[in-house]
Amino acid sequence: MRRGRRLGIDVGDVRIGVASSDPDGLIATPVETVARGRGDLERLVALAEEHEVVEVVLGLPRSLSGGEGPAAAKARDFGRALAAALAPSGIGVRLVDERLSTVSAEAELRRQGRKGKSRRAVVDQAAAVIILQNALDAERATGRVPGEAVPAAGTTEQEDP
């Protein structure tokens, strides 16, 4: 298991959920929800630097069959833009499969008794926690870096470690 904090990202059309791991990569915890739009990349860069992360893990929404549709294309585009914004900091971005992360987060929040607006306010963070925790667990179980490296927008493919 590689050492270092990671940031988990669940990107949506309206909000971006953010989670962070501990330096040993054992547990993911919620950080905040960032409004999507003007200034979102700058805020994510600031969070990555503030948390001193070595990598950002971005959820890639695939269909149950594993295919990619319009939502996955949007996530890939966002990943390239984020990778370009993080490039000066030397922080890489990886895409990881996030099938059912939001559904799982919604179910957990309902189970906890969260309703309406209070649930909507944190569901993106909860999904980011699930995405990041799954990536951490997969790396610990297999010894392999999860997902795929994202090249910065306007560059060639980024090399996998």
Side-chain angles (χ1 to χ4, degrees):
M1 182 77 187
R2 298 168 301 145
R3 189 156 162 68
R5 290 184 194 277
R6 287 137 178 107
L7 216 57
I9 307 280
D10 177 50
V11 65
D13 290 332
V14 178
R15 293 175 301 276
I16 302 167
V18 183
S20 178
S21 75
D22 62 290
D24 293 320
L26 296 174
I27 188 125
T29 56
V31 173
E32 74 177 65
T33 301
V34 175
R36 183 75 193 270
R38 180 178 286 171
D40 57 2
L41 290 174
E42 292 81 4
R43 180 63 187 143
L44 294 174
V45 169
L47 285 170
E49 291 172 350
E50 176 184 321
H51 287 264
E52 299 176 339
V53 302
V54 296
E55 171 176 272
V56 173
V57 175
L58 177 68
L60 178 65
R62 295 182 184 264
S63 67
L64 290 179
S65 67
E68 292 187 17
K74 287 180 185 179
R76 285 186 180 280
D77 289 344
F78 187 84
R80 283 189 290 275
L82 182 57
L86 288 167
S89 302
I91 300 169
V93 177
R94 299 193 68 81
L95 288 170
V96 297
D97 189 341
E98 68 147 301
R99 274 178 263 194
L100 301 178
S101 63
T102 302
V103 172
S104 298
E106 285 272 7
E108 178 61 22
L109 292 170
R110 268 194 309 277
R111 189 186 66 73
Q112 293 174 4
R114 298 257 185 136
K115 296 182 179 168
K117 284 186 179 182
S118 75
R119 186 170 70 221
R120 279 193 302 276
V122 296
V123 70
D124 301 292
Q125 289 176 43
V129 166
I130 290 168
I131 291 164
L132 181 55
Q133 191 65 56
N134 286 343
L136 296 170
D137 293 346
E139 183 171 345
R140 196 169 20 275
T142 66
R144 292 192 310 263
V145 179
E148 62 183 87
V150 177
T155 66
T156 57
E157 285 297 312
Q158 189 171 339
E159 202 173 293
D160 259 337

PDB file of all heavy atoms in Angstrom, residues 18-38:
ATOM      1  N   VAL A  18     -16.549  15.611  -1.720  1.00  0.00           N
ATOM      2  CA  VAL A  18     -15.119  15.445  -1.477  1.00  0.00           C
ATOM      3  C   VAL A  18     -14.910  14.677  -0.177  1.00  0.00           C
ATOM      4  O   VAL A  18     -15.567  14.949   0.825  1.00  0.00           O
ATOM      5  CB  VAL A  18     -14.405  16.818  -1.385  1.00  0.00           C
ATOM      6  CG1 VAL A  18     -12.905  16.644  -1.204  1.00  0.00           C
ATOM      7  CG2 VAL A  18     -14.705  17.674  -2.617  1.00  0.00           C
ATOM      8  N   ALA A  19     -13.985  13.710  -0.235  1.00  0.00           N
ATOM      9  CA  ALA A  19     -13.590  12.934   0.936  1.00  0.00           C
ATOM     10  C   ALA A  19     -12.068  12.881   0.969  1.00  0.00           C
ATOM     11  O   ALA A  19     -11.410  13.139  -0.039  1.00  0.00           O
ATOM     12  CB  ALA A  19     -14.158  11.519   0.862  1.00  0.00           C
ATOM     13  N   SER A  20     -11.514  12.556   2.131  1.00  0.00           N
ATOM     14  CA  SER A  20     -10.065  12.458   2.288  1.00  0.00           C
ATOM     15  C   SER A  20      -9.735  11.195   3.063  1.00  0.00           C
ATOM     16  O   SER A  20     -10.539  10.723   3.863  1.00  0.00           O
ATOM     17  CB  SER A  20      -9.547  13.683   3.051  1.00  0.00           C
ATOM     18  OG  SER A  20      -8.156  13.584   3.266  1.00  0.00           O
ATOM     19  N   SER A  21      -8.542  10.676   2.821  1.00  0.00           N
ATOM     20  CA  SER A  21      -8.082   9.518   3.590  1.00  0.00           C
ATOM     21  C   SER A  21      -7.040   9.956   4.603  1.00  0.00           C
ATOM     22  O   SER A  21      -6.492  11.057   4.513  1.00  0.00           O
ATOM     23  CB  SER A  21      -7.479   8.458   2.662  1.00  0.00           C
ATOM     24  OG  SER A  21      -6.191   8.851   2.223  1.00  0.00           O
ATOM     25  N   ASP A  22      -6.745   9.069   5.529  1.00  0.00           N
ATOM     26  CA  ASP A  22      -5.638   9.282   6.451  1.00  0.00           C
ATOM     27  C   ASP A  22      -4.336   8.987   5.692  1.00  0.00           C
ATOM     28  O   ASP A  22      -4.374   8.420   4.593  1.00  0.00           O
ATOM     29  CB  ASP A  22      -5.793   8.363   7.669  1.00  0.00           C
ATOM     30  CG  ASP A  22      -5.743   6.903   7.275  1.00  0.00           C
ATOM     31  OD1 ASP A  22      -6.709   6.431   6.629  1.00  0.00           O
ATOM     32  OD2 ASP A  22      -4.745   6.242   7.572  1.00  0.00           O
ATOM     33  N   PRO A  23      -3.172   9.349   6.241  1.00  0.00           N
ATOM     34  CA  PRO A  23      -1.905   9.142   5.535  1.00  0.00           C
ATOM     35  C   PRO A  23      -1.583   7.677   5.222  1.00  0.00           C
ATOM     36  O   PRO A  23      -0.864   7.393   4.274  1.00  0.00           O
ATOM     37  CB  PRO A  23      -0.859   9.726   6.487  1.00  0.00           C
ATOM     38  CG  PRO A  23      -1.598  10.674   7.349  1.00  0.00           C
ATOM     39  CD  PRO A  23      -2.981  10.112   7.483  1.00  0.00           C
ATOM     40  N   ASP A  24      -2.129   6.745   6.023  1.00  0.00           N
ATOM     41  CA  ASP A  24      -1.875   5.327   5.782  1.00  0.00           C
ATOM     42  C   ASP A  24      -2.855   4.709   4.789  1.00  0.00           C
ATOM     43  O   ASP A  24      -2.737   3.530   4.451  1.00  0.00           O
ATOM     44  CB  ASP A  24      -1.909   4.551   7.104  1.00  0.00           C
ATOM     45  CG  ASP A  24      -0.752   4.940   8.010  1.00  0.00           C
ATOM     46  OD1 ASP A  24       0.370   5.134   7.504  1.00  0.00           O
ATOM     47  OD2 ASP A  24      -0.976   5.058   9.226  1.00  0.00           O
ATOM     48  N   GLY A  25      -3.845   5.478   4.342  1.00  0.00           N
ATOM     49  CA  GLY A  25      -4.812   4.963   3.381  1.00  0.00           C
ATOM     50  C   GLY A  25      -5.722   3.898   3.956  1.00  0.00           C
ATOM     51  O   GLY A  25      -6.126   2.978   3.239  1.00  0.00           O
ATOM     52  N   LEU A  26      -6.072   4.038   5.219  1.00  0.00           N
ATOM     53  CA  LEU A  26      -6.939   3.045   5.854  1.00  0.00           C
ATOM     54  C   LEU A  26      -8.411   3.418   5.790  1.00  0.00           C
ATOM     55  O   LEU A  26      -9.258   2.565   5.570  1.00  0.00           O
ATOM     56  CB  LEU A  26      -6.535   2.836   7.318  1.00  0.00           C
ATOM     57  CG  LEU A  26      -5.144   2.262   7.540  1.00  0.00           C
ATOM     58  CD1 LEU A  26      -4.810   2.245   9.025  1.00  0.00           C
ATOM     59  CD2 LEU A  26      -5.046   0.874   6.941  1.00  0.00           C
ATOM     60  N   ILE A  27      -8.705   4.693   6.007  1.00  0.00           N
ATOM     61  CA  ILE A  27     -10.113   5.099   6.129  1.00  0.00           C
ATOM     62  C   ILE A  27     -10.374   6.416   5.424  1.00  0.00           C
ATOM     63  O   ILE A  27      -9.566   7.327   5.479  1.00  0.00           O
ATOM     64  CB  ILE A  27     -10.548   5.172   7.611  1.00  0.00           C
ATOM     65  CG1 ILE A  27     -12.043   5.403   7.727  1.00  0.00           C
ATOM     66  CG2 ILE A  27      -9.818   6.245   8.344  1.00  0.00           C
ATOM     67  CD1 ILE A  27     -12.716   4.374   8.550  1.00  0.00           C
ATOM     68  N   ALA A  28     -11.514   6.479   4.760  1.00  0.00           N
ATOM     69  CA  ALA A  28     -11.958   7.700   4.079  1.00  0.00           C
ATOM     70  C   ALA A  28     -12.987   8.403   4.943  1.00  0.00           C
ATOM     71  O   ALA A  28     -13.838   7.754   5.558  1.00  0.00           O
ATOM     72  CB  ALA A  28     -12.561   7.349   2.723  1.00  0.00           C
ATOM     73  N   THR A  29     -12.904   9.729   4.990  1.00  0.00           N
ATOM     74  CA  THR A  29     -13.855  10.530   5.750  1.00  0.00           C
ATOM     75  C   THR A  29     -14.347  11.698   4.893  1.00  0.00           C
ATOM     76  O   THR A  29     -13.621  12.182   4.030  1.00  0.00           O
ATOM     77  CB  THR A  29     -13.222  11.085   7.044  1.00  0.00           C
ATOM     78  OG1 THR A  29     -12.052  11.821   6.698  1.00  0.00           O
ATOM     79  CG2 THR A  29     -12.846   9.978   8.001  1.00  0.00           C
ATOM     80  N   PRO A  30     -15.573  12.160   5.134  1.00  0.00           N
ATOM     81  CA  PRO A  30     -16.100  13.276   4.348  1.00  0.00           C
ATOM     82  C   PRO A  30     -15.352  14.571   4.638  1.00  0.00           C
ATOM     83  O   PRO A  30     -14.895  14.793   5.756  1.00  0.00           O
ATOM     84  CB  PRO A  30     -17.560  13.378   4.779  1.00  0.00           C
ATOM     85  CG  PRO A  30     -17.674  12.603   6.031  1.00  0.00           C
ATOM     86  CD  PRO A  30     -16.528  11.668   6.123  1.00  0.00           C
ATOM     87  N   VAL A  31     -15.253  15.425   3.607  1.00  0.00           N
ATOM     88  CA  VAL A  31     -14.586  16.722   3.754  1.00  0.00           C
ATOM     89  C   VAL A  31     -15.586  17.852   3.544  1.00  0.00           C
ATOM     90  O   VAL A  31     -15.863  18.621   4.439  1.00  0.00           O
ATOM     91  CB  VAL A  31     -13.397  16.867   2.779  1.00  0.00           C
ATOM     92  CG1 VAL A  31     -12.816  18.267   2.799  1.00  0.00           C
ATOM     93  CG2 VAL A  31     -12.319  15.841   3.100  1.00  0.00           C
ATOM     94  N   GLU A  32     -16.131  17.958   2.339  1.00  0.00           N
ATOM     95  CA  GLU A  32     -17.108  19.010   2.052  1.00  0.00           C
ATOM     96  C   GLU A  32     -17.772  18.757   0.717  1.00  0.00           C
ATOM     97  O   GLU A  32     -17.368  17.867  -0.035  1.00  0.00           O
ATOM     98  CB  GLU A  32     -16.467  20.400   2.079  1.00  0.00           C
ATOM     99  CG  GLU A  32     -15.600  20.753   0.896  1.00  0.00           C
ATOM    100  CD  GLU A  32     -15.060  22.188   0.976  1.00  0.00           C
ATOM    101  OE1 GLU A  32     -14.274  22.495   1.886  1.00  0.00           O
ATOM    102  OE2 GLU A  32     -15.438  22.983   0.093  1.00  0.00           O
ATOM    103  N   THR A  33     -18.783  19.562   0.445  1.00  0.00           N
ATOM    104  CA  THR A  33     -19.454  19.547  -0.847  1.00  0.00           C
ATOM    105  C   THR A  33     -19.132  20.875  -1.526  1.00  0.00           C
ATOM    106  O   THR A  33     -19.334  21.933  -0.939  1.00  0.00           O
ATOM    107  CB  THR A  33     -20.974  19.386  -0.696  1.00  0.00           C
ATOM    108  OG1 THR A  33     -21.231  18.153  -0.004  1.00  0.00           O
ATOM    109  CG2 THR A  33     -21.666  19.357  -2.044  1.00  0.00           C
ATOM    110  N   VAL A  34     -18.625  20.787  -2.755  1.00  0.00           N
ATOM    111  CA  VAL A  34     -18.245  21.968  -3.525  1.00  0.00           C
ATOM    112  C   VAL A  34     -19.308  22.194  -4.592  1.00  0.00           C
ATOM    113  O   VAL A  34     -19.722  21.247  -5.267  1.00  0.00           O
ATOM    114  CB  VAL A  34     -16.857  21.755  -4.194  1.00  0.00           C
ATOM    115  CG1 VAL A  34     -16.488  22.917  -5.097  1.00  0.00           C
ATOM    116  CG2 VAL A  34     -15.785  21.516  -3.134  1.00  0.00           C
ATOM    117  N   ALA A  35     -19.754  23.432  -4.740  1.00  0.00           N
ATOM    118  CA  ALA A  35     -20.724  23.760  -5.793  1.00  0.00           C
ATOM    119  C   ALA A  35     -20.036  23.617  -7.147  1.00  0.00           C
ATOM    120  O   ALA A  35     -18.901  24.073  -7.327  1.00  0.00           O
ATOM    121  CB  ALA A  35     -21.253  25.170  -5.612  1.00  0.00           C
ATOM    122  N   ARG A  36     -20.717  22.983  -8.084  1.00  0.00           N
ATOM    123  CA  ARG A  36     -20.171  22.789  -9.422  1.00  0.00           C
ATOM    124  C   ARG A  36     -20.295  24.094 -10.197  1.00  0.00           C
ATOM    125  O   ARG A  36     -21.304  24.783 -10.135  1.00  0.00           O
ATOM    126  CB  ARG A  36     -20.946  21.668 -10.125  1.00  0.00           C
ATOM    127  CG  ARG A  36     -20.441  21.302 -11.487  1.00  0.00           C
ATOM    128  CD  ARG A  36     -19.154  20.476 -11.380  1.00  0.00           C
ATOM    129  NE  ARG A  36     -18.497  20.367 -12.663  1.00  0.00           N
ATOM    130  CZ  ARG A  36     -18.709  19.405 -13.540  1.00  0.00           C
ATOM    131  NH1 ARG A  36     -19.562  18.436 -13.260  1.00  0.00           N
ATOM    132  NH2 ARG A  36     -18.067  19.395 -14.688  1.00  0.00           N
ATOM    133  N   GLY A  37     -19.259  24.456 -10.918  1.00  0.00           N
ATOM    134  CA  GLY A  37     -19.287  25.680 -11.717  1.00  0.00           C
ATOM    135  C   GLY A  37     -18.073  26.533 -11.445  1.00  0.00           C
ATOM    136  O   GLY A  37     -17.022  26.027 -11.030  1.00  0.00           O
ATOM    137  N   ARG A  38     -18.218  27.809 -11.671  1.00  0.00           N
ATOM    138  CA  ARG A  38     -17.100  28.738 -11.525  1.00  0.00           C
ATOM    139  C   ARG A  38     -16.391  28.552 -10.184  1.00  0.00           C
ATOM    140  O   ARG A  38     -17.012  28.581  -9.132  1.00  0.00           O
ATOM    141  CB  ARG A  38     -17.599  30.172 -11.654  1.00  0.00           C
ATOM    142  CG  ARG A  38     -16.474  31.187 -11.505  1.00  0.00           C
ATOM    143  CD  ARG A  38     -16.952  32.564 -11.686  1.00  0.00           C
ATOM    144  NE  ARG A  38     -17.202  32.755 -13.120  1.00  0.00           N
ATOM    145  CZ  ARG A  38     -17.802  33.798 -13.631  1.00  0.00           C
ATOM    146  NH1 ARG A  38     -18.254  34.743 -12.854  1.00  0.00           N
ATOM    147  NH2 ARG A  38     -17.973  33.900 -14.925  1.00  0.00           N
TER     148      ARG A  38
END
